[in-house]
Each structure stands twice: as structure tokens, then as C-alpha cells.
Amino acid sequence: MADTVDAYVARGHPIDPPLRRPLKIFELDPIVSRGTPGGLTIDIPNEPGLRPGPCGERVQVVDYDGVLRRYYEPVDLNDPAILIQGGLNPVESDPRFHQQMVYAVTMRVLENFDRALGRKITFRGKQLLLLPHAFRGPNAFFDPGVGVCFGYFPADREEPGQNIPGQPIFTCLSHDIIAHEVTHALVHRLRPHFFERTNRDVLAFHEGFSDIVAIFQHFSFPTVLRAAVRASRGDLSEPNELVNLAVQFGHATARGGALRSALDTPDPSRYRRAWEPHQRGSILVAAVFDGFFQTYQRRIQDLLRLATAGTGTLPAGEVSPDLVDRLCTEAAAAAQSVLTMCIRAFEYLPPVDITFGDYLRALVTADYDLQAEQGAVDRSLMIEAFRRRGIYASEVSSLGEDALRWPPVPIDTKRVMPADLVARQVLNEANRIDRHARATEDLNRAAVELQAWAGANAQRLRLVPDMPVKAHGFHATFRVAPGGELRVEVVAQFLQQRAHPELAGVVMRGGSTVVATADGVVRFVIAKPLDDAQRMERQVRHTRALAAADPLAAWGPDSPGVMLDGPVFRLLHGGMQMP
Amino acid sequence: MNDAVVRMYNVGFGDAFLLRLPTAAGEVKVLFDCGSHAASEKPRPMREIVGQVIDDVREADGTARIDVVVGTHRHQDHVSGFDDERWSEVVVREVWMPWTEDPNDEEATRIRERQSATAARLAAALAGDASGLLELAENQLTNAAAMKTLHAGFAGSPRRRFLPTAGSDDLSDSPLGPFGVHVLGPSRDERVIRDMDPPVGEAYLRMIGLSGDGDVAAGAPFADAWTYTESEFARSETWQHLRLTGPKKTLVHKVAAADRLAVAVALDKAVNGTSLVLAFELAGAVLLFPADAQWGTWDAMLSEPSSRDLLARTTFLKVGHHGSHNATPRDFVELLEHPDATGAGLAAMVSTHAMARWPKIPKAELLQALAGVTERVARSDHGGEPAIPGFEHWGEDFIDLRIPLSTPKEG
């Protein structure tokens, strides 16, 4: 007893480490942020063991310049001088602020994924490497072998937009560019074969999805949201900062405005024509935002009627600040629920060869599974927004929600994952979420057991029998339904591959995503079977068309372009003309 | 003599082909290019090779004569040999170049100037670069002395033609009048022209740090106080976990250079896109010289039914761009008719030199596919190895191919 008292006298009672860490970032980017010189404070999960860099459990910021071959001084976010002011203030001239912003935005993206997926997403025990000043050039990449590389460059001298001609522009100071590239990394983590150009939608999905995450995060920044709601008098479907992507970058590269926007004029023929991944991806972005706007409009109708004595039409002039506040609350809530819905769909995506139609089906299934009743109207609005842009699910006969949802497989006592394997994984995943987690189980052992099970049940899982099966990803997810009940599910991906007999060196892939209940009963088998001759033929036709359009791809797969895009995901195509 | 003979000189990484065609009025000599890449190893100095070419065209009276010199495009590896004073003694009747070389064509001048300006800036900015980019960039430089020979040199005041002309090409008054001469490229089609434009403007080069004009592009982004060399950084104990090492660091360097590489490659492609593509049709034979034509030109040729039909009947192919993957479309090789029982069928020549720097030139898959069409594929750098049957001469310095013909009709 006396020992303990002595200890406290010496050091005081320990204070629990805080759950959240406040950090400052530019409000979207240095141009948009001009109205708020102090920047924007966001809070992210506090990592108690954070080291200089910042270097945390899942991400590592290394400020190494690959061109000059120099390091820039790393920031120590646990320095009391920084802690006491809630993070460094936004300054373009201090690299340590750049590192802080990259770290903060990355953590925010990770948190959005964790929340939506109902588990803690990791990089298989490694850290995602982020290089805020990796190279010179108006671009940023995610390269699976390296990590996220941000470029810096002088603004265009003739047409700098709102920048000073020639001033240094840092892509790592753009919330949108950081969020876009980090999302590429996360998509790659969840579906490593989505960088293979097996059909026109695959890379476009990568790009579109990355833009969706970047733009939806805008709604969680109160000052940006409030300004937009006030200026647009609540009509968020008008052009505004919320729906613009990378404003400073767009100006600096002589585009005269934002790099991309979530708004479009729906035109089904664009989906038939567009090839370039960013352009095609923007159709997906516009569809999701259309769905969001409809949801938001629906949710604020009662507020507008209350505020206008029942007419629903706002009088001319400034909108009452109280109403602006309430509209902001609704917009932020609707945006968060759509973003969560978009990410949650991942667990219901096939492991390879995704199409926008597959994504729509996954979106609808995932949301229905969690909130069948409550989400019905919003889902139908989303389906309609996709339809207006010519995106359907090819195998589905109607656009009714029940037709769009992945069909659940009949309960089959033989189609049950080994119970102890499932139980161990559920425990394992639960431990990881817990802050006081114990060491996690050896996942390799689980993978071996899982592969054996899948091999023995190949036909039931729509895999090709008597061929090797690889398990990629095996997770338990925890979600809370609107009624308050905890939903625990287990999701596994299985992959098969074989060399194409004619296209030398081209590997054809198939596989299934299997969703099971907490006791291992399989509910969904979302498959792209390797023995689907029609799909393979489509893929071959697509590969040939790509090769014809891209001379670099003419002779063999070791030249970039046939199936792989580098594989580097860029903010844009480097200013190069692409076929 | 009823045979045509193609001589491929071993210039290392480059092109020099001498074609002799029989006519009733005597032999017609056509020289396609004469150049080698500065970075390429060569079996002998370029000066010696040029000496041999000139000797090879020397006639009984002691005068060297060439009927048509074709300068397919202004890349160093195709024209460097023309930077030699001895050409002033060679009597040439005509010089053919792509329309993009026409000094009186506004569009051509614009394309040339943009290509040269970009190349010059790229090469200047890359000075001292050891990754191979500099060599790629230097190949694009104006090669002014060599181009001067083509534009204003040679004895005999040769007529210059820039092909294809905007109208239809009437070459009946040329030394090759007796033959069917097809000018297949470079097209004046808007899409093909777009491919010839350098991919990026000055602003972009500055943004990727490739303009040495002393503005922020060339400088460091932060004050020195924030900046540490690798060894300085290594000294800090608290930053050890942030040090990049091994393959990861190499990868970062590679990614950092990616945009520069993309510019250099795209510019290379743009200049190759100006390649003059010629096919000669003579009694039963089609001789195709596509220079370094790229996809845009090939696409235009393959989509036009009449030229597609002509390409299918090719009996001699000068393989484009030293056998690289981007200058011979798969579609074209699949189109080639396989030899029938009577004809000798296709023969092909690849002027190339394996360089560690560009391991994919020549492209193995392309050579294999050609081997599936014909056994007669000669590589200039395999001249010292056991001969492939069907070639008239198989030597380390040059390889000859004899193509049997019936004498073409007059006029």
C-alpha cells in the first residue's frame, strides 16, 4: 500500500490516454481555405504509440524526396508544443505541417472504412507508406509496391488561376488528393485484382470510388458544408465547393476550375462510350451523388415546409441561420449514411472483374441486409440515379430491388464453414477492435483450413472443382442495425486462376465472395466463375481491343497496358494523351 | 538481271538499307536511311560504314550514284550517317522525306519546331542523367548537320519530294516510275497528326522539373533548415524507423522518374510517328519499308481496304523500329499470307542491336510470330552467326537478300 502511494506521490495518478487526437488541416486545400486562415480542426483516433513521421500502427509518413534524394524534417505530433495547440497551424512553408495533414486525412479515410466495414482494416501487418513530396510533377500515385506518392510542381505561369504564377503547389496539401489516393490503396487492399483491366469498368471503378470517398468526406467539415448550404440556399445540387474535387490543383494546371466534379447531366450513352478510367469513373460518382441529393431533398422537405408555413418554397434572400444549421445536420447525416453504404458494399463484391452493375447490386444487397425497411426509399432513389446513367446489372431482368439484390443461396447443411474456424475468426476480429487487444491468431493457419474447406465444397461455392483455390481475405464484421441488434457476419474471398490458352502470359481469374452468418451458414455466394465461357470470351475480346488501341501492348503481357495499368493509380494520366 | 537485292548494313542500333531494283534502263538504287544510335556499340565506326555504302553505289566511271535517298524520319539512329562530307560527291537524283519535313508547309513546320524544342529542353534538363533517359532524349535532337545533307546536300542537285503530298502522289516521273510506288504514311489525317505532336507543352515540362530556367521548378521546395541529406538523416536516432532502404528506396526513385520517362518515351513515339512508309510493288513482289511507323499510321493503313490488301501481300518486310513491340502490330503479322507451295513467300530483315538498356528491343514475341510466318528472318546483329538459308550474303558487316522478279514493263 505504502509502495503505491509512494509511486503516486512521485508520478501522480496516470491519466487514460484520450481516444481522439485533434489535428489541423487546410480546409480542403490552400485556395478553398483562404477564408479560414486557422484551417480546420478534425479529430481522428488517437494512436498512443505514435512516433515521429508520423508513424503509427497502420500508416507511415516518410518525407523523402525521390528526385532530390533528401529527407525533410519529420514531425513529432506528441511534442507538447504541438499537442497544446491541437496540431500545427496550416502553413505551406513547413514540411512538418504537410506531414500532419497527410496523416490526419489518411486516418480519417481509414476510420470511414473501419466504420462502414464493421472491422478494423489493416495492411496485413504492414504500414501504408505515404511520401508527401516523392517527386516533381502535377500528379499523385498509389503504387502497390511503394505506397502513396505525392508530387509537387510550380503553378502554370500563363494560367495559374487563383494561384501566383509559378508558386509551388503541393498535391499533399489537398484533402481530395490525399483521400483519393489513400482510397486507391484501400480498394487495392480489399480487392487486389481490381487493377487488372478485365473489363472497361474495373479501373473506372477504382477511380470513381476514390473520388466518391474524397468528395463525401467534404460533408463532414462543418464550415465547408455551412458555407455551401448558405450560398446555395439549401440546394446542394448546384455547383459548389462540396461537389468539387481538387480545386487548387485544377487552377494550378490551367484548367480554370476544379479537377473534377460530382455533377453531370445524366446521359446513358456516356456509359456506353467512355473508355478512359477517370472519365468513366465520373459516371459512377455522378450516379451516387444523384442518389444522395434525392435522399437529402426528401429528408429536408418537412423542414422546408415548417420554415415556410407549408408552402415548401423559400422566400428570396438569406435563409435563416437556424434553418441553415438544420439543413447542414441533415446533409451531413445523409452524406455519412450514403458514404457508409458505398463502402459497406465492398463485402458483397465479387473478388475479380467488377462491373458498375455488380457494384449497384452489392450496394443494394448490403444496405438491405442491414436495414431492409428503413433504407428502402433511399435505395430506390439510388437505383433510379444509376438507371438514368445507363447503369444496369446485366443479368437482371428488372430494376426492382428484389431482382437487383444478390440472390441468397438456399440454406444447405453442407454449405457451412467449419464452426471452430469461424468462431476463432470472430474472436480474433473482436480482439483487434478492442483497444486492449491481445496478439492475434496466425491467419496463415486459418487460410490453409479455409482453402481445404473451399476445395472440398467447390461446386457449392461456384468454384471449379479439382483446381487449386486460394483464400484471400477472411473477416468477421460487426455492425449495428437501426433496431439496435448486433449483426455479426463472416466474409471470405476465394480465387482461382489459369493461364489463357491463346493469349500468351495472360492469366484468367475467377472466384467467389462468400458471406456467412456468425455460425458459418453460407448466405451469399457472389461469384465470377472461372468456367464461365461467356465471361472469358468477353474478357478476351476486351483484352484484344485494349491491345489494338494501345501499341505498347501489342506484343505480350510484359509490356504495360494489356491487363495492368502500370500498376499505378494516378490522380490523372500524367498530362499524357491516352488511347 | 531480273532480281531485286536488299542489303542491310550492320550499323548497330540503327537503320541503313540499300535496295537495287532492275529496270530495262538499268539498275535503280534506293538508300533507306543511314544512321546509328550514338550509344550503340557498332561492329565498326559509322564513318567506315558510310564509306562502304558510298563504295557500294560507285559505278564503273568511278562516280557514286544513288537514284533515290529516303530519309524516313529525323531520328539520330536513322540519319546520323548523313553527317559526313563525302556525301557531297555522291550524285543523287531525288531525296524523299516525310511531308513533315517540308519547309514550306505550315503545319509541318509547327510539328517540327515543337518536337525539336521539346527534345532540346528534355535533353538539356537530363544532362548528367545516367538512367538511359538522356540517350532516349538525344536521339530526338534536331541532328542538324545530317538533316542539312538531306535537305540541301549531295551532288547532282537532287529533287526533294515531301510525301505524301496533299493531293495524290504522282511518282511516274521519278526514278521509281516503272514500279508501283505506294506512299502509305505518314498520314495527314488529323488523328495521326495529333500523335506527332509532342505529348506535352513547355508548362508540363516545367511542372515535372524539366526546365532549367532557374524558377522554383529547379529548386528545392523547402528551406535548407528543413532538409537533410541521407547521411545526415541517418545520424538521428529518433528517425531511424523512417529511413528508406533497399528495394523500397529504388522503387521510390523509379516512381519519381516515371513522369520524365513518360515524356521521353512519348516524344520518341511522336517523332517515329512522322515516319515515311513506302511499299514498292513489282512483278509479284511487295517490298514494305515502314521505317519506325507507330500505331496511328498502322491503324490508318490497316483500316483502308486497298492498303490492307497490299500489306497482306508483303513479300519483303523491313521490320519497323529495330523489332520493338510498338512498331509492328499483331494484326499486321496475322494478316501476312503464309508462303504457298510455289512462291518463296515472305522474307524479313530486322536492323537491330540488343542493348542492355532496352531489353525489349527486339521483342522476342514479335520475332517468334514472324518465325511462324517465314523461316527467312535476318537480324543485322546475327550476321556473324551461322547463316540462315535463303540469303545471298550473310556477313557480320551486311546481309543481302535476293528477291526474284520478272522485269517490269516500261513506263
Side-chain angles (χ1 to χ4, degrees):
Chain A
M1 210 48 190
D3 282 359
T4 317
V5 170
D6 283 347
Y8 288 156
V9 167
R11 289 192 297 274
H13 283 77
I15 294 172
D16 277 346
L19 291 175
R20 314 287 298 174
R21 177 194 292 267
L23 285 174
K24 289 172 200 147
I25 63 171
F26 273 119
E27 190 177 272
L28 304 191
D29 68 32
I31 281 189
V32 181
S33 200
R34 277 179 194 161
T36 30
L40 189 69
T41 296
I42 63 173
D43 67 87
I44 54 165
N46 177 34
E47 302 189 87
L50 191 67
R51 293 190 285 170
C55 174
E57 184 195 354
R58 293 188 281 177
V59 301
Q60 182 183 37
V61 180
V62 173
D63 210 348
Y64 177 73
D65 188 320
V67 176
L68 296 178
R69 312 211 167 171
R70 294 279 191 278
Y71 287 90
Y72 303 117
E73 186 164 318
V75 67
D76 178 6
L77 292 179
N78 287 336
D79 183 330
I82 293 177
L83 289 173
I84 209 164
Q85 51 177 328
L88 290 168
N89 281 321
V91 250
E92 290 179 64
S93 59
D94 185 344
R96 294 174 301 183
F97 170 74
H98 297 209
Q99 299 148 14
Q100 169 181 303
M101 178 156 172
V102 167
Y103 172 72
V105 175
T106 302
M107 290 297 284
R108 173 58 66 94
V109 176
L110 284 176
E111 195 179 17
N112 270 320
F113 271 77
D114 290 346
R115 184 194 319 209
L117 294 177
R119 62 188 165 87
K120 190 166 175 181
I121 191 166
T122 64
F123 295 93
R124 301 186 170 257
K126 295 188 192 123
Q127 293 158 307
L128 175 64
L129 180 62
L130 301 152
L131 296 135
H133 310 101
F135 68 100
R136 288 184 187 181
N139 219 333
F141 313 132
F142 165 64
D143 182 305
V146 179
V148 180
C149 299
F150 298 92
Y152 60 91
F153 62 100
D156 195 273
R157 277 201 299 206
E158 270 87 50
E159 278 182 69
Q162 296 177 29
N163 301 289
I164 301 165
Q167 84 167 79
I169 304 293
F170 299 97
T171 59
C172 74
L173 291 183
S174 161
H175 162 274
D176 300 345
I177 296 175
I178 304 168
H180 178 97
E181 296 302 328
V182 169
T183 304
H184 273 313
L186 287 165
V187 171
H188 187 66
R189 169 66 188 84
L190 294 167
R191 292 291 184 279
H193 297 297
F194 279 10
F195 68 76
E196 294 171 1
R197 302 204 278 177
T198 48
N199 72 60
R200 277 201 285 183
D201 283 352
V202 185
L203 286 194
F205 172 76
H206 239 290
E207 297 299 343
F209 190 77
S210 298
D211 280 357
I212 288 171
V213 172
I215 299 179
F216 267 117
Q217 286 199 167
H218 293 175
F219 291 82
S220 64
F221 303 141
T223 45
V224 186
L225 178 60
R226 200 162 200 288
V229 167
R230 195 172 151 233
S232 67
R233 309 177 74 249
D235 182 4
L236 295 178
S237 60
E238 291 296 312
N240 63 68
E241 297 296 8
L242 285 172
V243 293
N244 281 341
L245 188 94
V247 172
Q248 183 190 34
F249 183 91
H251 279 288
T253 49
R255 284 173 169 81
L259 176 61
R260 290 193 281 275
S261 154
L263 304 180
D264 74 344
T265 310
D267 173 6
S269 73
R270 268 188 74 211
Y271 181 59
R272 287 198 298 274
R273 287 194 322 261
W275 265 85
E276 199 281 320
H278 297 82
Q279 277 177 19
R280 199 170 169 81
S282 73
I283 303 170
L284 184 69
V285 179
V288 168
F289 268 84
D290 190 351
F292 158 76
F293 291 132
Q294 304 296 331
T295 297
Y296 164 73
Q297 290 298 342
R298 190 178 70 79
R299 291 191 188 178
I300 63 169
Q301 282 316 307
D302 57 344
L303 289 173
L304 293 181
R305 283 192 300 271
L306 280 169
T308 57
T311 68
T313 311
L314 289 168
E318 194 81 5
V319 178
S320 136
D322 291 338
L323 183 58
V324 169
D325 282 345
R326 287 290 294 111
L327 293 178
C328 286
T329 310
E330 290 299 335
Q336 189 64 52
S337 76
V338 172
L339 177 58
T340 303
M341 177 177 168
C342 285
I343 300 173
R344 190 188 295 141
F346 254 96
E347 307 287 30
Y348 296 79
L349 288 180
V352 294
D353 202 25
I354 186 183
T355 64
F356 287 179
D358 293 335
Y359 183 63
L360 177 60
R361 299 190 73 180
L363 203 66
V364 169
T365 311
D367 195 65
Y368 177 88
D369 238 28
L370 194 64
Q371 42 177 2
E373 305 282 315
Q374 295 89 333
V377 180
D378 292 347
R379 283 197 300 277
S380 70
L381 294 172
M382 189 63 84
I383 294 168
E384 178 60 14
F386 274 67
R387 185 201 60 79
R388 273 200 289 274
R389 286 160 185 84
I391 305 171
Y392 319 102
S394 53
E395 333 58 11
V396 171
S397 53
S398 92
L399 275 176
E401 179 178 300
D402 50 337
L404 268 180
R405 285 200 309 270
W406 296 119
V409 295
I411 303 288
D412 177 345
T413 49
K414 292 196 179 111
R415 194 154 35 206
V416 177
M417 285 185 185
D420 73 308
L421 188 64
V422 172
R424 281 193 336 252
Q425 187 57 19
V426 169
L427 185 63
N428 204 20
E429 211 85 49
N431 276 345
R432 203 180 293 162
I433 294 173
D434 191 325
R435 280 161 62 80
H436 313 289
R438 288 174 300 149
T440 50
E441 190 199 349
D442 177 13
L443 280 174
N444 291 333
R445 213 183 90 205
V448 171
E449 285 177 52
L450 203 59
Q451 275 158 202
W453 172 75
N457 294 278
Q459 226 138 22
R460 291 190 189 89
L461 302 175
R462 297 180 67 195
L463 297 165
V464 181
D466 306 318
M467 269 191 76
V469 179
K470 190 170 165 276
H472 172 86
F474 178 41
H475 298 287
T477 68
F478 304 87
R479 289 191 275 255
V480 180
E485 67 270 38
L486 177 67
R487 292 284 177 76
V488 182
E489 278 181 337
V490 181
V491 183
Q493 294 173 57
F494 298 102
L495 287 166
Q496 292 184 313
Q497 65 177 62
R498 68 158 71 109
H500 189 273
E502 287 160 47
L503 298 175
V506 172
V507 173
M508 311 294 280
R509 292 180 210 281
S512 301
T513 298
V514 175
V515 181
T517 59
D519 52 358
V521 178
V522 173
R523 297 187 54 232
F524 295 100
V525 174
I526 299 150
K528 293 270 171 171
L530 190 56
D531 54 5
D532 179 342
Q534 279 185 337
R535 184 172 74 84
M536 291 304 162
E537 201 194 304
R538 274 199 304 275
Q539 185 176 327
V540 168
R541 266 206 313 273
H542 179 69
T543 307
R544 290 234 158 98
L546 276 180
D550 178 3
L552 286 177
W555 296 100
D558 54 337
S559 52
V562 178
M563 301 284 288
L564 310 181
D565 192 37
V568 169
F569 300 104
R570 292 166 170 230
L571 179 70
L572 74 163
H573 275 291
M576 304 287 145
Q577 291 164 358
M578 292 298 284
Chain B
M1 179 181 103
N2 279 343
D3 299 344
V5 177
V6 188
R7 173 163 295 182
M8 169 169 65
Y9 295 94
N10 183 4
V11 291
F13 196 94
D15 260 15
F17 286 86
L18 181 63
L19 173 63
R20 296 166 188 271
L21 298 169
T23 68
E27 189 183 64
V28 171
K29 288 171 283 188
V30 184
L31 177 68
F32 278 88
D33 293 336
C34 185
S36 180
H37 200 289
S40 163
E41 289 169 19
K42 302 170 190 54
R44 48 192 174 142
M46 199 62 210
R47 204 176 152 73
E48 245 177 71
I49 299 171
V50 171
Q52 189 199 340
V53 174
I54 293 175
D55 283 344
D56 284 352
V57 297
R58 204 176 297 284
E59 295 181 355
D61 62 357
T63 304
R65 287 192 184 85
I66 300 176
D67 296 278
V68 178
V69 171
V70 183
T72 61
H73 64 296
R74 51 166 59 219
H75 263 154
Q76 184 190 50
D77 55 341
H78 289 254
V79 301
S80 68
F82 292 115
D83 179 9
D84 193 309
E85 73 291 347
R86 288 171 292 172
W87 289 109
S88 62
E89 291 153 26
V90 178
V91 177
V92 174
R93 290 170 67 192
E94 298 202 356
V95 179
W96 293 5
M97 285 176 272
W99 68 267
T100 49
E101 288 298 331
D102 187 347
N104 299 318
D105 183 311
E106 256 177 55
E107 176 120 66
T109 306
R110 186 187 63 80
I111 292 171
R112 257 187 346 263
E113 281 173 359
R114 286 199 57 185
Q115 288 183 345
S116 305
T118 311
R121 233 174 290 119
L122 192 62
L126 288 169
D129 177 285
S131 65
L133 279 185
L134 183 58
E135 279 91 340
L136 191 55
E138 280 175 338
N139 197 31
Q140 339 272 343
L141 290 174
T142 47
N143 299 302
M147 291 312 291
K148 197 174 167 201
T149 304
L150 286 170
H151 276 282
F154 301 117
S157 311
R159 169 174 180 182
R160 262 88 189 174
R161 291 186 201 252
F162 302 100
L163 302 171
T165 49
S168 64
D169 294 302
D170 180 10
L171 297 167
S172 59
D173 60 342
S174 82
L176 289 161
F179 307 104
V181 178
H182 302 268
V183 182
L184 299 171
S187 162
R188 286 171 184 263
D189 182 289
E190 203 181 317
R191 278 167 306 169
V192 180
I193 290 177
R194 203 181 57 201
D195 286 350
M196 296 173 191
D197 258 335
V200 295
E202 186 171 348
Y204 189 81
L205 283 176
R206 199 162 42 238
M207 287 178 193
I208 63 172
L210 284 184
S211 83
D213 55 1
D215 68 5
V216 67
F222 298 109
D224 282 350
W226 307 123
T227 310
Y228 299 84
T229 64
E230 296 188 19
S231 56
E232 284 164 358
F233 196 80
R235 264 183 258 143
S236 159
E237 269 175 40
T238 49
W239 299 338
Q240 283 302 315
H241 62 285
L242 296 172
R243 283 179 62 208
L244 288 177
T245 49
K248 198 91 167 182
K249 189 157 93 178
T250 315
L251 275 173
V252 173
H253 292 162
K254 216 171 125 186
V255 169
D259 275 16
R260 294 159 164 238
L261 177 65
V263 172
V265 169
L267 181 60
D268 186 59
K269 209 168 121 182
V271 178
N272 282 334
T274 66
S275 284
L276 177 57
V277 180
L278 295 173
F280 300 143
E281 197 171 7
L282 359 139
V286 174
L287 281 53
L288 179 61
F289 290 86
D292 288 356
Q294 302 284 299
W295 171 249
T297 299
W298 279 104
D299 190 32
M301 295 193 288
L302 289 166
S303 341
E304 166 63 38
S306 63
S307 51
R308 191 181 172 89
D309 171 63
L310 181 73
L311 294 180
R313 292 186 283 115
T314 303
T315 52
F316 168 78
L317 170 68
K318 191 232 64 137
V319 177
H321 200 226
H322 324 293
S324 84
H325 52 77
N326 54 359
T328 310
R330 190 185 283 263
D331 262 10
F332 165 66
V333 176
E334 284 173 2
L335 191 67
L336 288 170
E337 285 165 9
H338 291 244
D340 57 29
T342 53
L346 179 78
M349 284 178 150
V350 194
S351 181
T352 193
H353 179 81
M355 286 170 79
R357 202 143 266 171
W358 299 308
K360 288 176 189 164
I361 302 180
K363 184 81 179 163
E365 286 88 344
L366 166 61
L367 297 181
Q368 276 161 19
L370 280 174
V373 183
T374 174
E375 290 171 354
R376 293 190 300 160
V377 181
R379 278 178 63 158
S380 60
D381 59 341
H382 283 187
E385 296 174 12
I388 291 178
F391 290 88
E392 169 106 343
H393 173 88
W394 189 270
E396 205 165 323
D397 290 342
F398 62 91
I399 294 171
D400 282 347
L401 174 72
R402 182 170 291 273
I403 304 168
L405 307 169
S406 52
T407 310
K409 55 187 185 296
E410 275 303 319

Tab-separated table of all heavy atoms in Angstrom, chain B residues 138-159:
chain	number	residue	atom	x	y	z
B	138	GLU	N	18.405	12.260	-76.510
B	138	GLU	CA	19.367	12.748	-77.510
B	138	GLU	C	19.044	12.254	-78.909
B	138	GLU	O	19.350	12.896	-79.899
B	138	GLU	CB	20.787	12.327	-77.120
B	138	GLU	CG	21.355	13.256	-76.064
B	138	GLU	CD	22.708	12.813	-75.574
B	138	GLU	OE1	23.026	11.610	-75.709
B	138	GLU	OE2	23.445	13.657	-75.045
B	139	ASN	N	18.409	11.087	-78.976
B	139	ASN	CA	18.033	10.546	-80.273
B	139	ASN	C	17.091	11.499	-81.012
B	139	ASN	O	16.984	11.489	-82.218
B	139	ASN	CB	17.374	9.182	-80.080
B	139	ASN	CG	17.326	8.367	-81.359
B	139	ASN	OD1	18.197	8.496	-82.206
B	139	ASN	ND2	16.306	7.556	-81.501
B	140	GLN	N	16.375	12.330	-80.254
B	140	GLN	CA	15.365	13.212	-80.836
B	140	GLN	C	15.939	14.555	-81.278
B	140	GLN	O	15.243	15.327	-81.904
B	140	GLN	CB	14.269	13.557	-79.818
B	140	GLN	CG	14.141	12.622	-78.680
B	140	GLN	CD	13.219	11.506	-79.038
B	140	GLN	OE1	12.473	11.635	-79.983
B	140	GLN	NE2	13.282	10.425	-78.327
B	141	LEU	N	17.130	14.872	-80.837
B	141	LEU	CA	17.659	16.206	-81.126
B	141	LEU	C	17.672	16.426	-82.634
B	141	LEU	O	17.622	15.492	-83.412
B	141	LEU	CB	19.066	16.354	-80.538
B	141	LEU	CG	19.058	16.413	-79.013
B	141	LEU	CD1	20.475	16.402	-78.479
B	141	LEU	CD2	18.327	17.653	-78.538
B	142	THR	N	17.743	17.691	-83.038
B	142	THR	CA	17.497	18.008	-84.449
B	142	THR	C	18.421	17.276	-85.410
B	142	THR	O	18.089	17.120	-86.565
B	142	THR	CB	17.646	19.519	-84.666
B	142	THR	OG1	18.843	19.915	-84.023
B	142	THR	CG2	16.491	20.259	-84.068
B	143	ASN	N	19.569	16.778	-84.967
B	143	ASN	CA	20.516	16.139	-85.874
B	143	ASN	C	20.768	17.051	-87.069
B	143	ASN	O	20.684	16.646	-88.229
B	143	ASN	CB	19.982	14.778	-86.331
B	143	ASN	CG	19.789	13.833	-85.152
B	143	ASN	OD1	20.726	13.546	-84.426
B	143	ASN	ND2	18.568	13.386	-84.942
B	144	ALA	N	21.050	18.307	-86.761
B	144	ALA	CA	21.027	19.373	-87.766
B	144	ALA	C	21.955	19.108	-88.951
B	144	ALA	O	21.548	19.267	-90.103
B	144	ALA	CB	21.381	20.703	-87.103
B	145	ALA	N	23.201	18.675	-88.676
B	145	ALA	CA	24.148	18.506	-89.775
B	145	ALA	C	23.667	17.427	-90.736
B	145	ALA	O	23.718	17.586	-91.964
B	145	ALA	CB	25.531	18.160	-89.221
B	146	ALA	N	23.177	16.332	-90.182
B	146	ALA	CA	22.694	15.239	-91.019
B	146	ALA	C	21.473	15.683	-91.827
B	146	ALA	O	21.352	15.391	-93.025
B	146	ALA	CB	22.347	14.033	-90.150
B	147	MET	N	20.576	16.413	-91.165
B	147	MET	CA	19.365	16.842	-91.860
B	147	MET	C	19.706	17.848	-92.955
B	147	MET	O	19.024	17.943	-93.963
B	147	MET	CB	18.358	17.454	-90.865
B	147	MET	CG	17.738	16.443	-89.905
B	147	MET	SD	17.115	14.934	-90.687
B	147	MET	CE	15.709	15.572	-91.604
B	148	LYS	N	20.821	18.587	-92.753
B	148	LYS	CA	21.223	19.560	-93.774
B	148	LYS	C	21.624	18.834	-95.061
B	148	LYS	O	21.318	19.271	-96.161
B	148	LYS	CB	22.381	20.408	-93.238
B	148	LYS	CG	22.578	21.664	-94.035
B	148	LYS	CD	23.626	22.563	-93.402
B	148	LYS	CE	24.000	23.647	-94.416
B	148	LYS	NZ	25.293	24.234	-94.135
B	149	THR	N	22.327	17.702	-94.896
B	149	THR	CA	22.676	16.906	-96.071
B	149	THR	C	21.409	16.488	-96.815
B	149	THR	O	21.306	16.616	-98.030
B	149	THR	CB	23.472	15.652	-95.647
B	149	THR	OG1	24.610	16.067	-94.909
B	149	THR	CG2	23.886	14.833	-96.847
B	150	LEU	N	20.436	15.985	-96.044
B	150	LEU	CA	19.213	15.505	-96.701
B	150	LEU	C	18.465	16.650	-97.386
B	150	LEU	O	17.932	16.489	-98.472
B	150	LEU	CB	18.302	14.811	-95.679
B	150	LEU	CG	18.775	13.421	-95.240
B	150	LEU	CD1	17.962	12.910	-94.053
B	150	LEU	CD2	18.681	12.424	-96.399
B	151	HIS	N	18.449	17.814	-96.740
B	151	HIS	CA	17.670	18.925	-97.295
B	151	HIS	C	18.412	19.695	-98.382
B	151	HIS	O	17.798	20.231	-99.293
B	151	HIS	CB	17.264	19.898	-96.177
B	151	HIS	CG	16.029	19.473	-95.451
B	151	HIS	ND1	14.772	19.645	-95.963
B	151	HIS	CD2	15.854	18.850	-94.259
B	151	HIS	CE1	13.872	19.170	-95.116
B	151	HIS	NE2	14.511	18.672	-94.078
B	152	ALA	N	19.753	19.807	-98.267
B	152	ALA	CA	20.459	20.691	-99.190
B	152	ALA	C	21.749	20.097	-99.741
B	152	ALA	O	22.419	20.717	-100.556
B	152	ALA	CB	20.778	22.016	-98.487
B	153	GLY	N	22.113	18.900	-99.309
B	153	GLY	CA	23.394	18.341	-99.713
B	153	GLY	C	23.301	17.444	-100.941
B	153	GLY	O	22.329	17.473	-101.672
B	154	PHE	N	24.341	16.643	-101.159
B	154	PHE	CA	24.527	15.704	-102.269
B	154	PHE	C	24.905	16.445	-103.558
B	154	PHE	O	24.595	17.633	-103.724
B	154	PHE	CB	23.270	14.861	-102.554
B	154	PHE	CG	22.815	14.031	-101.375
B	154	PHE	CD1	21.567	14.259	-100.801
B	154	PHE	CD2	23.616	13.037	-100.843
B	154	PHE	CE1	21.121	13.509	-99.724
B	154	PHE	CE2	23.178	12.270	-99.758
B	154	PHE	CZ	21.928	12.519	-99.192
B	155	ALA	N	25.549	15.686	-104.449
B	155	ALA	CA	25.849	16.240	-105.769
B	155	ALA	C	24.656	15.985	-106.689
B	155	ALA	O	23.798	15.151	-106.380
B	155	ALA	CB	27.111	15.574	-106.331
B	156	GLY	N	24.606	16.682	-107.797
B	156	GLY	CA	23.574	16.418	-108.809
B	156	GLY	C	22.284	17.166	-108.574
B	156	GLY	O	21.273	16.879	-109.211
B	157	SER	N	22.272	18.124	-107.624
B	157	SER	CA	21.070	18.919	-107.332
B	157	SER	C	19.800	18.078	-107.319
B	157	SER	O	18.923	18.245	-108.156
B	157	SER	CB	20.890	20.036	-108.366
B	157	SER	OG	22.086	20.733	-108.522
B	158	PRO	N	19.729	17.160	-106.377
B	158	PRO	CA	18.565	16.268	-106.387
B	158	PRO	C	17.253	17.007	-106.143
B	158	PRO	O	17.220	18.038	-105.488
B	158	PRO	CB	18.863	15.293	-105.244
B	158	PRO	CG	19.849	15.982	-104.379
B	158	PRO	CD	20.654	16.861	-105.275
B	159	ARG	N	16.215	16.452	-106.697
B	159	ARG	CA	14.878	16.979	-106.446
B	159	ARG	C	14.420	16.451	-105.084
B	159	ARG	O	14.614	15.284	-104.756
B	159	ARG	CB	13.949	16.470	-107.549
B	159	ARG	CG	12.494	16.732	-107.260
B	159	ARG	CD	11.618	16.355	-108.438
B	159	ARG	NE	10.219	16.621	-108.111
B	159	ARG	CZ	9.214	16.373	-108.905
B	159	ARG	NH1	9.439	15.865	-110.112
B	159	ARG	NH2	7.980	16.631	-108.530
